[in-house]
C-alpha cells in the first residue's frame, strides 16, 4: 500500500511516499530554519506563507523522483495537529484537494504520535519483539513518554508541565547568544564543558513521580551565566550542566516508567532532541532494553513518519479525526492508573 505523507505543522514543508508503512520511496523536506533564524524563533504567519510557496512544486518533484503515477497512490495522510493553525491549513487543504480529486482516502494523523514512527521506519525487527514499548517523543513542542502496546496505542505516562525539552535547549541557546534553533549548538558547546563545575537543580525530584519540568532549569542557567566570572567557569561548563539535567531528568522518568510497566520490551526515542548524541548514549548506557532511535533525517519533522503512522491507522480502521483547536489532547491519552 502506497501512502503519501504530508507534513506542514511548523517550519518544515515535508512530503514522502512510503510503501506498507516501512519502505520510504522518497522523503522531501524543505526547512525554513534559515528564514526564521533572524527572528530567533518561528513566525507563524511567515511559516504558513512559505508552505504555500513550497508545497505544490515539492509534490511534483516527489512524483518525478519516484516515477510515481498519482493514480497509484492508495491514500493521502496529513498532519491534523498539533501545530500552528495557518501552517496546518496549508497541508490539510492540499491533502484534502488531492483526496477529493483522486477519490483516495484521506487519513488525518497526530503529529506527536507520528514522531515515534520516525524511529520505526526501516527497522527489520518484528513488532512483537518491540511492543509493548516505552516511547519518548522529545521535540521543540512536546516531551511525552508513552507506553505503547502496538504502533497505534498511545498511553501517556509522563509529560512536561511547562516548557518542552527542545524548547528549553532553544531558550538556553538564545541566552547564550547561539543561533536558532539552539539545541544542536548547545550540544556542541556542552561537549567541551567540564562536568561538576556549575550547580543545576534536579528537577521534579519530590513532585509527582512522572511529570517533567524545564522552567526552573532555564532560570538556573540564566543565574549561572550571570555569575560566570565571579565563579570562574565558562559558557561551555554551563551548557554541559544544563544538558546533563535536561536529559538526565528524562532518563530518570524513563526508569520510573519501567517499574510501572515492567513488561516493556524496548525503548523508542523520537523527535528533534533524539538527534542529541549525549541523549542516545545516556539511554543506551542506562537501560538493558533494546533502544531504537530514528536516523537523523527522521528525528525532526518529516512526511515519512506521517505516512507510516497512517498505514497502521488504516490497518486498524482508526481515525483520530480533526482536532480543530490544534493542541495535544493530553486528557484523552493519559494513563488511568497513575
Ligand atoms: O521534532 P522537531 O524537529 O520539531 C518539533 O516538532 O518540535 O524538534 C525540534 C527541536 C528544537 O527545539 C531543536 O533545538 C531540538 O529539537 N534539537 C536538539 C538537537 N537537535 C534538535 N536539541 C538538543 N540537541 C540536539 N542535538
Ligand atoms: Zn515535530
Amino acid at each position: 500500500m502506497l501512502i503519501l505523507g504530508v507534513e506542514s505543522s511548523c517550519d518544515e514543508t515535508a512530503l514522502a511516499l512510503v510503501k506498507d508503512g516501512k519502505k520510504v520511496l522518497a522523503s522531501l523536506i524543505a526547512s525554513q530554519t534559515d528564514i526564521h533564524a533572524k527572528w530567533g524563533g518561528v513566525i507563524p504567519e511567515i511559516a504558513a506563507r512559505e508552505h504555500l510557496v513550497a508545497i505544490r512544486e515539492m509534490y511534483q518533484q516527489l512524483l518525478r523522483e519516484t516515477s510515481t503515477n498519482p493514480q497509484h497512490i492508495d491514500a493521502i495522510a496529513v498532519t491534523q495537529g498539533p501545530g500552528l493553525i495557518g501552517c496546518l491549513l496549508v497541508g490539510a487543504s492540499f491533502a484534502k484537494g488531492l483526496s477529493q480529486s483522486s477519490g483516495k482516502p484521506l487519513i488525518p494523523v497526530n503529529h506527536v504520535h507520528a514522531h515515534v514512527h520516525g524511529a520505526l521506519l526501516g527497522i527489520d525487527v518484528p513488532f512483537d519483539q518491540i511492543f509493548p514499548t516505552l516511547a519518548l517523543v522529545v521535540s521543540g513542542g512536546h516531551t511525552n513518554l508513552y507506553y505503547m502496546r502496538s504502533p497505534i496505542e498511545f498511553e501517556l505516562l509522563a509529560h512536561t508541565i511547562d516548557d518542552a525539552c527542545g524548547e528549553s535547549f532553544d531558550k538556553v541557546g538564545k541566552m547564550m547568544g547561539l543561533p536558532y534553533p539552539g539545541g544542536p549548538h548547545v550540544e556542541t558547546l556542552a561537549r567541551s564543558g567540564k562536568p561538576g563545575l556549575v550547580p543545576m537543580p534536579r528537577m521534579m525530584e519530590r513532585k509527582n513521580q512522572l511529570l517533567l519540568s524545564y522552567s526552573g532549569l532555564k532560570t538556573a542557567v540564566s543565574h549561572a551565566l550571570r555569575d560566570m566570572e565571579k565563579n570562574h567557569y565558562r559558557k561551555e561548563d554551563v551548557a554541559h550542566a544544563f544538558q546533563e539535567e535536561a536529559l538526565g531528568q528524562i532518563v530518570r522518568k524513563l526508569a520510573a516508567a519501567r517499574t510501572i510497566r515492567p513488561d516493556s520490551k524496548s525503548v523508542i526515542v523520537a523527535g528533534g532532541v533524539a538527534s542529541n548524541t549525549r541523549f542516545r548514549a545516556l539511554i543506551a548506557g542506562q537501560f538493558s532494553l533494546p533502544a531504537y532511535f530514528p536516523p537523523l533525517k527522521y528525528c525532526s519533522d518529516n512526511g515519512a513518519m506521517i505516512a507510516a503512522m497512517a498505514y497502521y491507522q488504516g490497518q486498524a480502521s482508526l481515525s483520530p479525526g480533526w482536532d480543530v483547536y490544534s493542541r495535544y489532547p493530553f486528557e484523552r491519552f493519559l494513563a488511568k492508573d497513575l
Side-chain angles (χ1 to χ4, degrees), residues 111 115 139 301 305:
H111 175 95
H115 265 296
S139 70
D301 296 347
M305 68 185 197

Side-chain angles (χ1 to χ4, degrees), residues 145-226:
L145 169 59
Y146 300 96
Y147 173 72
M148 295 176 65
R149 278 180 219 284
S150 78
I152 51 160
E153 287 175 275
F154 290 80
E155 187 189 40
L156 186 63
L157 298 179
H159 62 90
T160 174
I161 55 168
D162 39 57
D163 289 348
C165 180
E167 183 183 7
S168 78
F169 268 88
D170 295 341
K171 287 181 176 171
V172 164
K174 204 169 190 171
M175 282 189 242
M176 292 182 169
L178 301 170
Y180 169 84
H185 300 285
V186 172
E187 181 187 2
T188 306
L189 210 61
R191 260 186 227 132
S192 37
K194 266 207 191 125
L197 285 186
V198 184
M200 274 297 137
R202 273 168 77 90
M203 301 304 296
M204 302 302 278
E205 281 285 82
R206 287 182 298 277
K207 306 230 178 80
N208 184 323
Q209 203 185 13
L210 285 178
L211 290 176
L212 298 126
S213 169
Y214 284 92
S215 64
L217 216 48
K218 204 174 52 191
T219 310
V221 167
S222 89
H223 291 162
L225 290 173
R226 185 194 60 198

Side-chain angles (χ1 to χ4, degrees), residues 7 9-10 12 111-112 115 137 139-141 271-272 299-302 305:
E7 155 61 35
S9 63
C10 190
E12 267 103 21
H111 175 95
V112 180
H115 265 296
V137 178
S139 70
C299 282
S300 48
D301 296 347
N302 63 86
M305 68 185 197

